[in-house]
Every structure is written in C-alpha cells, then in structure tokens.
Amino acid sequence: MIVMKFGGTSVESTDAIERVARIVSSRLKRSPVVVVSAMAKVTDQLVAMGNQAAAGDCNAAIELLQALRERHLQTARELLGSKRGASLAPRLEGYFSELENFLRGLAAVRELTPRGSDYLLSFGELLSSVIVADAFAVRGLNAAWVDSRQCLVTDANHTRAVPQMKQTRERCKNKLVPLVSKKRIAVMGGFIAATENGVPTTLGRGGSDYSAAIIGAAVDADCIEIWTDVEGMMTTDPRLCPDAKTIKRISFNEAAELAYFGAKVLHPATLLPAIHQNIPVYVLNSRNLKSTGTEITAQAPPSRDTFRAITAKNGISIVNVVASRGVMVHGFLRSVFEALDRHSSPVDIVAISEVSMSFTMETKRLPKALLSELEQIADLAREDRQAIICLVGEDIHGKPGIAASVFNTIAKADVNIRMISQGASEINISFVIQENDVPKAVRHLHAQFFPGRTARKIATAKKSGTTNGLGRRRTKGTEISGVHETRASNGRAAAASRP
Ligand code: ADP
Ligand code: ASP
Ligand code: MG
C-alpha cells in the first residue's frame, strides 16, 4: 500500500485533477490511498470569509462564498460531464449552504473561535476530495470517498490538533484496509480530522502532508508520496533563487530540519510518523508524470556540496529579556524558562548571557500573556519582521572553516546578523537576519555553496585555493567579519524528538 498526497496546486483546476488521475493510474499495482488538499487558495479564501463575517461584513463574506461555489461547481461540471456532475451538485450545494449558515451565524455573534475556524476550513478539503473521487470514477478508477474526520483522530487543540495514533491506527485499519483489499482507491481530504467525539479539527496550515504521513504510518504503507508543484525538495526555495536544484536523496533528519526551518514544501511535522516507522517519503512534481523528485530515507549518501540545502523562515520575532538589577542570574534564567514552559512557547533559537536572554519565536505564536509575565521580572524588548536562515547538512560536523565561510558570505552580501546558533543540532547552522534581507542573503549563500556546474569546474581546476568559483578571493582561516557572536543554542534539538 502507498499513500499519495496531492497539494493545492496539484488539484487547482480541471487539467490539474486530470493529471492527478493519470498519475494515480500509473500506481494502481501499489494499492494507492489518495490524500488531497483543498484547491489552491481555497483555504486562504475561507479564512478571509471567516474574518469578514466575524467583523460583521456578512455581504462581503457571502460574495466570496459565491465565487468559491462557482469555481467548484464549474470544475465538477468540466471533470464529470453533465450527468455525473448533476448528481454530485446537491452534495456540493449542501456544503455551500452549511457554509453560508455558518457565516451568517458568525456575523451575528461576531466571533470566530479556533473551534469554529476548524469547522470553517474543513470545507476546503471536503469539497476537493469529493470532486476528485468522482473524477477518478469517471476515468475508470475504482475510487471511494472516505471521510478523513472518521479516520484521523486528534486531541481538541483546535487549529493545530495533535494526532492520537492509537485510535487513528484502529480507525484506518477498519476503514481503509478493507477498501484496499477490494482494490478500491480511497480518496480523502488532507488537513482535516476530528476529536474522538467527532468535533472537526485541523492539523495546522499546510497540514495535508502531515495527514498523508499519519495515514501512511497508520496503515504501515510502503512509502508516502508528496506530489507538489516543484521537482522535489530543492537546495533552496526556487521562488527565492531560480538556480535552486533538486536534491536527489536526503536523510529524514536533514529534511525534518529543513521543513522546520521554513522549507514550505513539507509541513514541519510530516516526517515524524515516517521516521517512527521508517517509511520512505518521496517529494514529486505533479506537473511531470515521470518525476523522480527527492527520496527521503533514514540515511542518504553524502552530498558533494558542503550543505544539503538552505532555508528561510520569515515572520520571526526576537525577544530580548534583560534581568532587572539585583536579580540572581540562575533565578532569572529559571523564571524565564518556567514562563516559556507555562505558555507552551515553542522557541527556535536561544542566546544567553549572564543577565540577559534572547529568544526567537514565530510572531503569530508569541503569546501576549507570556510577554506580560516576562515584563514582571525583566526589561523586555521585542523586534518583529525577522527571519531565520538555516543551512543544513549532515556532513558539516567536525569540518573546520564552514561557519567562517557562511558568515563571510553574509558579510559580503552586506547583511547584518542578529543572532547565531550552531552546535545544538549538529546538522545545521542557523542565524537571524531582518526579513528584508532574506532574498539577498539566500542568493549569496546559494551561489557560494551550490555553485553551478561551470563554477564547480573552475573551482576544481583552481584547487590551489586562490578563488572560490565566483571569481572572488577566498578568505583564509576562521575570520568572521561583520558578525556579533553570542553564545547560542538551537532551541529545537534532535529533529526526531519534535512535537
Ligand atoms: P502544496 O500545495 O503542494 O502543498 P506548497 O506551496 O505547500 O505546495 O509547497 C511547495 C512550495 O514550497 C514550492 O512551490 C516552493 O516555492 C516552496 N519551497 C520552499 N522551500 C523549498 C525547498 N527547499 N524545496 C522545494 N520547494 C520549496
Ligand atoms: N489546505 C490547507 C492549507 O492551505 C492544507 C494544505 O494545503 O496542506 O493550509
Ligand atoms: Mg503544502
């Protein structure tokens, strides 16, 4: 059995869904279970509608809902033809009237709770999955729509629910395995789940990848395929740097580190279930039926390059906490860590000096209550619109001069570094810069560490060490320029232990 997940752009239109049907047809012998995201941009539109309705602008929300309705009905008509299209229409209309009722209710009470938000967002994947299931059937595939809310069981941590694997495994075995043994292709919505009592939940934005991995682990799949809009995991985000190259093979730990530090191509938690059961994961391009993409397994052969990839994670805040005069150092640090723990605050990078501590956290996850509590014990300063740049590679451990080379490159790009972390996780070097500087920093780093074939040849030819393939003089030793270094540690240690 294999699990195949198709992201939003892979099911964004009639053509895209037709391609998906062809890809799935090519895997029939492997007994696929198919997981789909909402059509591209639909989840964002549902969020927008929810916000408009909760702000009292019901008309704007309903207008947006009409556009969404048109798009889905038209795609269904194009894919299914008039007869089957007409038989699916009442089901789609049912979802739209539920949505409309919900939006009107929101406008009346003027509040969108996390629980309400999960209910609202679940419609994106419900709509796409029923359309895809019928589109498969029309194309001769023996498909069966399966309600993910009856298979994936989570806790009630709405908007970021945590899977309960024992119950999920049981439900998947009961619902999916019998279908697969009858050679049917289960088609399910990703991202959505439910509590044990059936209250809808979601796994966090981008969570369909995670759904695929959870289902893969629950049914002991042979592999998990993540089909997306790029040719696999790449040396950096191709939107930031067009020279990015596909990584053929990468280890679980490296890929998890990249996903955590901003490689949007995988939801950060995706690899945990796969690591747990040692299931290979492939990242493939749904626009290329012959895609070989990236293979992610426990071990990967060493890379020719120093690093495997570079990522950037935007939307970061730095919080500087400085002990008030007279506070004992150890007592101060303990209080800060206890406050972080009480608010379940996921810090990324931490830097500590005797009487101060700086940490980074995603701005949208920084609790106000935490900041007020810290203000009671220390002076607080906060800087928003920061980004973490992370360079990942299993082979960097124990090699001298690598950090120097990274920071020299950043200095040449004229970018200021705010915090540095190297060492806590042996496979990455990460540091914080301003969000504005991200494209420049990533491009310079990529040119330095992933030189094109020509540049690589020049570098090999000039092995004497006088140039670095970019025509620049190489720096010697461990000189670090333009960098203020702080003792720092990476708040997220081994990838496999992440929640
Ligand atoms: P999907 O809708 O298929 O889940 P996403 O938009 O969530 O797709 O993820 C794919 C996008 O991830 C790509 O279009 C690319 O811009 C971005 N991305 C960021 N970092 C990387 C990387 N290292 N390798 C590949 N893609 C990346
Ligand atoms: N549709 C959801 C989102 O946009 C989940 C996903 O696409 O993975 O976040
Ligand atoms: Mg995604």
Side-chain angles (χ1 to χ4, degrees):
M1 202 186 303
I2 64 170
V3 179
M4 305 175 76
K5 176 260 172 178
F6 294 89
T9 43
S10 307
V11 293
E12 68 183 349
S13 61
T14 305
D15 287 352
I17 295 174
E18 272 170 349
R19 267 196 307 271
V20 167
R22 287 201 291 277
I23 293 170
V24 172
S25 303
S26 73
R27 299 284 204 269
L28 290 183
K29 281 203 185 107
R30 306 192 66 192
S31 307
V33 171
V34 173
V35 175
V36 294
S37 290
M39 295 172 80
K41 302 204 171 71
V42 166
T43 309
D44 287 340
Q45 287 160 358
L46 290 166
V47 171
M49 275 174 228
N51 291 338
Q52 283 165 340
D57 194 350
C58 195
N59 291 342
I62 301 289
E63 207 172 292
L64 210 47
L65 179 64
Q66 280 310 329
L68 203 74
R69 178 175 166 271
E70 274 310 312
R71 178 174 173 199
H72 284 90
L73 290 174
Q74 187 182 336
T75 310
R77 270 195 306 273
E78 286 170 5
L79 282 165
L80 308 177
S82 51
K83 204 161 156 224
R84 184 129 191 173
S87 79
L88 185 64
R91 174 123 181 237
L92 299 179
E93 293 289 12
Y95 288 144
F96 289 114
S97 61
E98 267 188 71
L99 267 173
E100 186 173 337
N101 289 340
F102 181 73
L103 292 172
R104 292 196 187 283
L106 268 188
V109 295
R110 302 272 174 109
E111 190 193 4
L112 179 56
T113 61
R115 183 171 168 157
S117 168
D118 278 353
Y119 171 78
L120 172 66
L121 300 200
S122 68
F123 284 93
E125 270 71 10
L126 289 175
L127 287 161
S128 64
S129 59
V130 295
I131 294 175
V132 169
D134 264 22
F136 281 6
V138 167
R139 281 152 190 79
L141 293 168
N142 192 5
W145 181 77
V146 174
D147 189 342
S148 313
R149 296 167 300 182
Q150 291 178 11
C151 293
L152 268 78
V153 183
T154 66
D155 65 7
N157 188 8
H158 287 285
T159 75
R160 271 177 187 274
V162 178
Q164 309 294 296
M165 281 313 286
K166 196 165 162 274
Q167 292 98 314
T168 301
R169 189 165 285 125
E170 228 164 77
R171 301 252 192 121
C172 285
K173 288 234 157 92
N174 292 338
K175 297 245 171 220
L176 298 178
V177 175
L179 283 176
V180 173
S181 54
K182 283 187 213 138
K183 303 236 170 298
R184 302 204 70 182
I185 303 163
V187 178
M188 317 170 61
F191 177 57
I192 57 177
T195 63
E196 197 152 19
N197 303 326
V199 178
T201 55
T202 64
L203 302 172
R205 293 301 307 271
S208 296
D209 304 328
Y210 194 19
S211 299
I214 295 165
I215 294 164
V219 300
D220 296 318
D222 299 326
C223 78
I224 297 157
E225 295 184 345
I226 306 291
W227 291 84
T228 184
D229 60 356
V230 285
E231 192 60 47
M233 275 198 117
M234 309 185 79
T235 48
T236 194
D237 185 344
R239 284 181 215 188
L240 278 179
C241 181
D243 293 339
K245 296 177 292 187
T246 299
I247 304 165
K248 292 279 166 224
R249 294 190 63 191
I250 185 169
S251 72
F252 281 141
N253 280 344
E254 288 170 321
E257 203 80 349
L258 290 172
Y260 184 78
F261 283 106
K264 190 185 166 226
V265 66
L266 280 186
H267 178 282
T270 307
L271 293 166
L272 295 182
I275 292 172
H276 205 243
Q277 270 158 258
N278 202 11
I279 303 173
V281 177
Y282 295 85
V283 181
L284 301 153
N285 183 357
S286 69
R287 292 174 182 158
N288 170 13
L289 267 66
K290 298 207 175 106
S291 172
T292 50
T294 302
E295 181 187 51
I296 312 173
T297 48
Q299 253 106 40
S303 156
R304 275 194 310 181
D305 300 304
T306 310
F307 292 104
R308 201 72 83 169
I310 305 167
T311 61
K313 184 169 169 179
N314 287 335
I316 297 292
S317 293
I318 300 179
V319 180
N320 300 303
V321 194
V322 182
S324 314
R325 265 173 191 281
V327 173
M328 294 295 291
V329 177
H330 69 277
F332 162 71
L333 289 178
R334 193 188 60 217
S335 312
V336 176
F337 279 113
E338 280 175 357
L340 288 168
D341 183 47
R342 261 194 303 284
H343 294 276
S344 314
S345 303
V347 295
D348 288 320
I349 295 178
V350 182
I352 295 173
S353 77
E354 276 164 304
V355 287
S356 71
M357 178 178 144
S358 301
F359 62 85
T360 67
M361 210 187 285
E362 282 177 54
T363 309
K364 63 174 189 240
R365 297 184 75 181
L366 192 59
K368 282 202 186 91
L370 167 72
L371 297 178
S372 341
E373 206 172 298
L374 291 175
E375 256 164 356
Q376 307 294 317
I377 53 169
D379 298 326
L380 214 64
R382 167 180 164 186
E383 296 162 61
D384 293 342
R385 285 183 284 283
Q386 306 292 312
I388 300 177
I389 301 286
C390 177
L391 296 100
V392 173
E394 262 170 0
D395 306 326
I396 59 173
H397 177 51
K399 284 193 192 155
I402 292 178
S405 178
V406 169
F407 297 127
N408 274 318
T409 307
I410 288 299
K412 280 181 198 144
D414 200 21
V415 168
N416 185 35
I417 295 182
R418 296 283 297 103
M419 280 170 83
I420 298 175
S421 161
Q422 188 196 1
S425 148
E426 288 182 347
I427 65 169
N428 92 46
I429 297 177
S430 33
F431 54 91
V432 182
I433 61 175
Q434 281 190 354
E435 245 178 36
N436 291 344
D437 288 329
V438 165
K440 186 163 64 166
V442 169
R443 275 181 217 132
H444 272 77
L445 288 167
H446 197 272
Q448 171 71 18
F449 292 106
F450 300 95
R453 210 173 274 162
T454 332
R456 197 192 298 277
K457 270 190 198 150
I458 297 169
T460 320
K462 295 188 178 174
K463 236 182 181 158
S464 58
T466 47
T467 72
N468 65 0
L470 294 171
R472 296 197 192 106
R473 298 293 293 179
R474 243 192 211 158
T475 49
K476 276 192 186 162
T478 53
E479 172 207 348
I480 302 180
S481 48
V483 172
H484 169 69
E485 223 178 348
T486 357
R487 236 176 338 130
S489 72
N490 189 327
R492 319 282 308 178
S497 67
R498 285 187 183 136

